[in-house]
Amino acid sequence: MKLKFIPQHDQMDCGPACIAMVASYFGKQIPLHFLKENANLSREGVSLLSISELCEDIGFETYPAKLTLQTLDENGSLPCILHWNKNHFVVLIDVKKSLISGKKRYKIADPSHGMIWMSEKDFLKSWLSDGENGIALFVSPTNSFYQQTFPEEDQLSISFAMKYFKEHKNKFLFLSGMLLIGSCLSLVFPFLTQTLIDKGVNTKDVDLITIILVSQVVLYLGSITIEILRNWLMLYIGTRISISIISDFLKKMLLLPMGFFDTKMKGDFTQRIQDNERIEDFLTSQSLMTFFSMVTFLVFFGVLWYYNVTIVLIYSSLTALSLVWAQYWLKKREILDYYRFREKGQSQESVYEILNGVSEMKLNQFEDYKRQEWEGIQNKLFKTTLRILKVDQYQFSGFEFLNQLKNIFVTFFAALQVVKGNMTIGELLAISYIIGQLNSPVNQMISFFRSLQDAKLSLSRLNEVQNHEEEEKEGMKALEVGNTYSKDEERGITLNNVSFQYEGPKSQFVLKDVNLFIPEGKVTAIVGASGSGKTTLMKLLLKFYNPTHGTIHYNEDDILTLSPKSIRENYGVVMQDGFIFSDTIERNIATSEVEINTRKMENAVRVANISSFIDNLPLGYSTKIGAAGNGISGGQKQRVLIARAVYKNPHFILFDEATSALDAENEKIIHDNLQEFFKGKTVIIVAHRLSTVKNADQIIVLKNGAVVEKGNHQELVNKKADYYSLVKNQLELGN
């Protein structure tokens, strides 16, 4: 049995990639995206426990162990998965002892680097976790593994990308016509060259020489004109296709559930967008150019056949050999492209972190460390680029050598024919011209194969996004608000035994058996210490995640049957990590409406008590804020976010520490303004401040993910339990 190497697509994919490689060794090809969906990935990657659980789910028996190298060598069954450098996973495939030196060498399949043979010293340096022992996961397949059927890899093909041609069909036809005319013009040149030498120079016919030279100038001008028009048209088509591809990618990406984004780094998405550019390059410049290069090649090949069949055979043999050589090195280049993708993603992520955290770095003297970390990534990227360059040089040098050898042999053979009187000098020059013209399509063919390879690799990375299940599914209902139910029972949001885990079934519960009712049209406050699960509960209500166990109902509707978009349309939300867009103040407030309602805007600004700040700005509501505009304070940011929620005028209001950055004066003004706005709305407030929660109709106290107390402020204070402990330092001020 042979292990198939499977590279990781993203920075956090090493665990699933290792499982896929081990499964391939035992004869099963399991799609990487299937393993990732079931591996409980987080942004920190995947734990050994999750890997072990996933291996058991697909039919392996697992044996995790912490052991010495001697035990691994003597008793370890291969292949096995190793914990590597304390933050990565690799597969140990083989251990061999050198016959000459007697030293052991270890063969590793590293999903981020490839197949590697390592010395014992280097192996121990990466594997040992405490100086003496390393961690390994041994697996053995059961009958269940062989009986299970796994989904097939639903790979995107080039046909997926070809659909973008349809919009520009007429322009492509026009472009094709110009390229065809250009090919026909090129066909005339060898015959003009032969006529110039044989009938013009040899017969000393100056008039004929002049006519031929003028004809060549006219033909060159025609070719240049066609080239200029072609370049303009290619730029237009290429740009439009690039915009369409990236726009469709972003559209699809934004339809995916929040869980998908939890396991991705910003750099991974940036690199995928750049992958779209490679697909556009293949669709436009490479595909069309190669097609018409092949037309030109066939035309000149026919003319060469007309001149001499033996020359055609010599040319064809050496051309085929050069193409085989180039194809061999393309396969070597494929895996290196995955490494470059990963390292470029890390590089971009590092730059984002430096730019976003520059103030904290300066405050904590962290600049040198982060800069050196970036340099380390660049050194890795340099090494990968060097490896790619080496492969490209081997490919190019061998190809060029065979190409020149072909030209020399053909020229030598043609020269012999001239010496023997079987060919004229004009025919020799015509053949030399044809050979020169044939080289260009062959070179274009190599570029096409490389571009095709890049496009396929890019499609394989886009595959995960394009084939991922969207959060909006057919048949989901819209959330109905208002008096749409005839039942007399109290309306609101009901949580029955709701539990939630971010990772696998054996990970820690963030929420555990939560039972509560949030009545419609009233204010519910949720309090608890940091890490008690308050924000997670809010995200469940917004359907960012589905409960691990239990149910959530909006009136009579199970949240799983409701459209996530319709739920969020009915919410005005201010989260702890609310985002300010790089846009004007008015557009940051009126995010969902194309036409801004002036009356609603003024009311939102009044309630959020931010009008004085806006009035003092030179451009007022048109002032740009966010990353591309004026920096604003934490309090100003929160007031903009509150104004955004008020402008929306939704049925549900959800405030998660919405006034934590405000001073006491502003908080009181906004609190008083909001009381009128809250009337008739279902309000959920997460806060620590007593002033924010004490007037709520009911207060829910969360502790370690469970509901420990319910009641109003006075009832809970009188109990002198968890709620009292949370707010006791504020009671004097509150009273």
Side-chain angles (χ1 to χ4, degrees):
M1 288 181 274
K2 186 178 179 183
L3 181 142
K4 177 186 176 184
F5 178 73
I6 296 168
Q8 62 188 76
H9 287 170
D10 291 320
Q11 296 179 46
M12 303 306 166
D13 296 353
C14 58
C18 288
I19 298 172
M21 284 191 272
V22 171
S24 74
Y25 179 83
F26 293 106
K28 290 275 188 180
Q29 303 300 322
I30 306 178
L32 186 58
H33 74 84
F34 170 80
L35 294 170
K36 287 170 67 174
E37 286 171 8
N38 292 278
N40 304 305
L41 279 173
S42 68
R43 196 164 286 187
E44 286 73 44
V46 64
S47 65
L48 188 70
L49 175 62
S50 294
I51 291 176
S52 178
E53 288 172 353
L54 182 54
C55 286
E56 289 170 2
D57 289 343
I58 63 176
F60 283 111
E61 282 186 0
T62 62
Y63 312 94
K66 193 172 186 180
L67 65 170
T68 63
L69 182 63
Q70 183 180 352
T71 309
L72 176 68
D73 290 342
E74 293 173 359
N75 303 313
S77 60
L78 303 181
C80 68
I81 298 172
L82 304 180
H83 192 225
W84 203 245
N85 290 324
K86 299 181 182 178
N87 64 355
H88 189 51
F89 292 100
V90 300
V91 179
L92 176 60
I93 304 170
D94 197 8
V95 181
K96 283 187 177 176
K97 201 169 188 178
S98 172
L99 295 173
I100 301 170
S101 64
K103 292 182 179 178
K104 288 179 182 175
R105 296 176 71 233
Y106 296 80
K107 189 177 184 182
I108 298 295
D110 184 340
S112 70
H113 197 74
M115 298 286 199
I116 316 163
W117 279 101
M118 304 183 75
S119 67
E120 184 175 314
K121 180 182 176 183
D122 290 336
F123 178 83
L124 287 172
K125 186 178 177 183
S126 295
W127 180 56
L128 294 184
S129 57
D130 61 6
E132 294 181 4
N133 299 290
I135 297 169
L137 180 68
F138 301 100
V139 298
S140 62
T142 63
N143 289 334
S144 170
F145 173 77
Y146 293 108
Q147 289 166 4
Q148 280 192 63
T149 55
F150 299 100
E152 292 186 7
E153 186 83 59
D154 188 14
Q155 285 286 2
L156 296 177
S157 64
I158 294 298
S159 59
F160 162 80
M162 296 299 283
K163 67 182 181 183
Y164 294 100
F165 270 122
K166 292 179 182 176
E167 286 181 49
H168 308 282
K169 186 169 60 178
N170 293 334
K171 294 182 182 68
F172 274 118
L173 289 173
F174 180 66
L175 187 60
S176 303
M178 286 198 297
L179 288 168
L180 196 59
I181 292 168
S183 298
C184 293
L185 291 177
S186 300
L187 182 61
V188 179
F189 284 107
F191 294 107
L192 284 177
T193 303
Q194 181 186 344
T195 306
L196 177 68
I197 300 299
D198 292 344
K199 296 184 179 178
V201 176
N202 287 345
T203 60
K204 298 180 181 178
D205 188 339
V206 177
D207 292 336
L208 180 60
I209 292 171
T210 304
I211 291 169
I212 291 172
L213 289 176
V214 170
S215 300
Q216 286 181 323
V217 170
V218 171
L219 288 172
Y220 273 122
L221 287 173
S223 296
I224 290 168
T225 304
I226 289 170
E227 181 77 10
I228 291 169
L229 289 172
R230 190 202 73 186
N231 288 340
W232 276 98
L233 201 53
M234 288 285 281
L235 176 64
Y236 175 82
I237 295 171
T239 303
R240 301 314 304 173
I241 286 180
S242 179
I243 291 170
S244 297
I245 290 174
I246 295 173
S247 177
D248 286 353
F249 171 75
L250 292 173
K251 181 181 177 183
K252 171 68 181 181
M253 187 181 74
L254 293 171
L255 291 172
L256 300 182
M258 282 299 297
F260 177 82
F261 297 92
D262 286 345
T263 62
K264 302 289 180 225
M265 310 298 276
K266 288 179 184 177
D268 291 333
F269 287 113
T270 307
Q271 284 305 114
R272 278 178 167 81
I273 289 171
Q274 291 180 7
D275 273 349
N276 283 300
E277 293 171 2
R278 301 206 306 188
I279 296 169
E280 176 265 321
D281 178 63
F282 168 76
L283 287 176
T284 53
S285 54
Q286 293 300 330
S287 295
L288 277 177
M289 287 299 298
T290 302
F291 175 73
F292 287 103
S293 290
M294 288 303 99
V295 172
T296 304
F297 179 85
L298 291 173
V299 169
F300 279 116
F301 194 80
V303 175
L304 190 62
W305 189 285
Y306 164 77
Y307 276 115
N308 194 294
V309 176
T310 308
I311 289 175
V312 168
L313 294 174
I314 295 170
Y315 181 87
S316 301
S317 302
L318 290 170
T319 298
L321 189 61
S322 64
L323 287 173
V324 169
W325 173 269
Q327 193 65 28
Y328 170 78
W329 287 103
L330 276 178
K331 291 188 179 296
K332 298 277 186 185
R333 182 176 175 270
E334 181 176 356
I335 188 62
L336 294 175
D337 188 78
Y338 281 107
Y339 309 148
R340 181 162 58 180
F341 172 86
R342 180 182 62 85
E343 282 149 13
K344 278 189 173 181
Q346 287 179 341
S347 175
Q348 302 228 11
E349 191 68 34
S350 178
V351 171
Y352 291 146
E353 187 177 44
I354 289 170
L355 294 176
N356 291 332
V358 65
S359 59
E360 285 298 318
M361 285 194 300
K362 284 181 175 294
L363 287 171
N364 296 287
Q365 296 76 54
F366 207 30
E367 306 101 305
D368 289 341
Y369 180 86
K370 281 297 173 184
R371 179 182 52 77
Q372 287 165 8
E373 184 180 65
W374 177 84
E375 284 180 3
I377 295 169
Q378 296 311 303
N379 287 331
K380 283 190 202 172
L381 184 57
F382 168 71
K383 287 176 184 176
T384 302
T385 306
L386 204 61
R387 290 171 70 189
I388 292 173
L389 176 64
K390 193 185 293 184
V391 168
D392 287 346
Q393 284 179 330
Y394 281 135
Q395 182 195 50
F396 180 77
S397 301
F399 178 77
E400 281 298 305
F401 174 75
L402 292 169
N403 233 11
Q404 290 303 320
L405 203 63
K406 169 185 65 184
N407 295 344
I408 292 166
F409 279 166
V410 168
T411 305
F412 177 75
F413 181 81
L416 284 179
Q417 297 306 305
V418 172
V419 171
K420 292 177 181 178
N422 298 330
M423 189 181 290
T424 65
I425 293 176
E427 288 174 328
L428 170 64
L429 291 174
I431 287 171
S432 296
Y433 178 84
I434 291 167
I435 294 298
Q437 292 298 305
L438 284 172
N439 284 339
S440 180
V442 174
N443 288 332
Q444 181 62 42
M445 179 66 78
I446 298 302
S447 296
F448 172 78
F449 283 140
R450 185 177 292 181
S451 181
L452 175 63
Q453 183 188 56
D454 287 343
K456 283 183 174 178
L457 293 171
S458 296
L459 283 168
S460 72
R461 288 193 280 263
L462 294 180
N463 188 62
E464 182 184 14
V465 174
Q466 293 296 336
N467 290 328
H468 200 286
E469 192 175 30
E470 297 175 5
E471 63 175 355
E472 291 283 340
K473 298 182 180 66
E474 234 178 290
M476 282 184 165
K477 296 190 294 184
L479 174 63
E480 296 183 42
V481 294
N483 298 317
T484 55
Y485 292 86
S486 58
K487 290 191 176 180
D488 294 331
E489 63 187 45
E490 193 175 6
R491 294 158 51 77
I493 305 169
T494 308
L495 286 82
N496 289 317
N497 297 316
V498 170
S499 299
F500 181 74
Q501 299 160 286
Y502 279 104
E503 297 184 29
K506 293 184 181 176
S507 65
Q508 183 180 0
F509 277 95
V510 182
L511 294 172
K512 183 67 175 173
D513 297 328
V514 172
N515 289 283
L516 63 91
F517 178 72
I518 299 170
E520 186 173 288
K522 294 185 178 179
V523 178
T524 298
I526 300 176
V527 299
S530 296
S532 59
K534 304 185 299 295
T535 300
T536 298
L537 180 58
M538 300 302 98
K539 290 180 178 179
L540 291 182
L541 295 178
L542 293 166
K543 209 179 177 182
F544 281 166
Y545 305 99
N546 292 328
T548 307
H549 305 296
T551 60
I552 300 174
H553 282 80
Y554 279 86
N555 299 317
E556 297 174 335
D557 293 323
D558 189 323
I559 195 171
L560 298 180
T561 67
L562 294 174
S563 155
K565 187 176 180 182
S566 76
I567 291 174
R568 294 163 204 160
E569 281 174 348
N570 286 287
Y571 265 96
V573 182
V574 180
M575 300 293 280
Q576 288 184 53
D577 52 355
F579 189 77
I580 297 295
F581 300 100
S582 294
D583 214 316
T584 61
I585 290 176
E586 61 182 3
R587 184 45 64 196
N588 261 285
I589 295 172
T591 54
S592 57
E593 293 185 3
V594 178
E595 293 293 328
I596 295 173
N597 185 309
T598 307
R599 184 182 58 78
K600 285 172 65 179
M601 176 66 69
E602 289 173 352
N603 180 57
V605 167
R606 179 190 63 79
V607 172
N609 194 35
I610 199 173
S611 54
S612 59
F613 165 69
I614 296 172
D615 292 340
N616 287 328
L617 295 170
L619 297 177
Y621 286 95
S622 299
T623 303
K624 267 206 164 188
I625 55 176
N630 291 341
I632 57 176
S633 69
Q636 290 162 346
K637 173 185 171 181
Q638 282 195 329
R639 283 185 280 166
V640 170
L641 294 173
I642 291 169
R644 184 187 293 172
V646 172
Y647 181 92
K648 201 173 179 182
N649 194 25
H651 186 77
F652 297 94
I653 301 290
L654 197 161
F655 283 179
D656 185 359
E657 299 289 359
T659 58
S660 59
L662 297 178
D663 58 86
E665 183 182 351
N666 268 306
E667 184 185 18
K668 185 178 186 312
I669 293 169
I670 293 170
H671 178 269
D672 293 342
N673 291 342
L674 283 171
Q675 299 315 302
E676 182 67 29
F677 178 70
F678 284 166
K679 286 181 181 176
K681 301 183 188 301
T682 305
V683 181
I684 305 163
I685 297 174
V686 173
H688 289 106
R689 288 189 182 182
L690 179 62
S691 57
T692 309
V693 302
K694 68 177 182 179
N695 294 323
D697 295 296
Q698 73 163 340
I699 298 171
I700 310 293
V701 183
L702 283 179
K703 186 175 182 180
N704 298 326
V707 175
V708 292
E709 283 186 295
K710 297 179 191 175
N712 61 37
H713 171 70
Q714 200 57 52
E715 290 169 351
L716 296 178
V717 167
N718 292 339
K719 279 186 181 180
K720 293 196 174 182
D722 291 281
Y723 177 76
Y724 181 82
S725 299
L726 284 168
V727 300
K728 66 181 178 181
N729 293 326
Q730 305 173 53
L731 281 175
E732 186 179 346
L733 177 63
N735 290 330

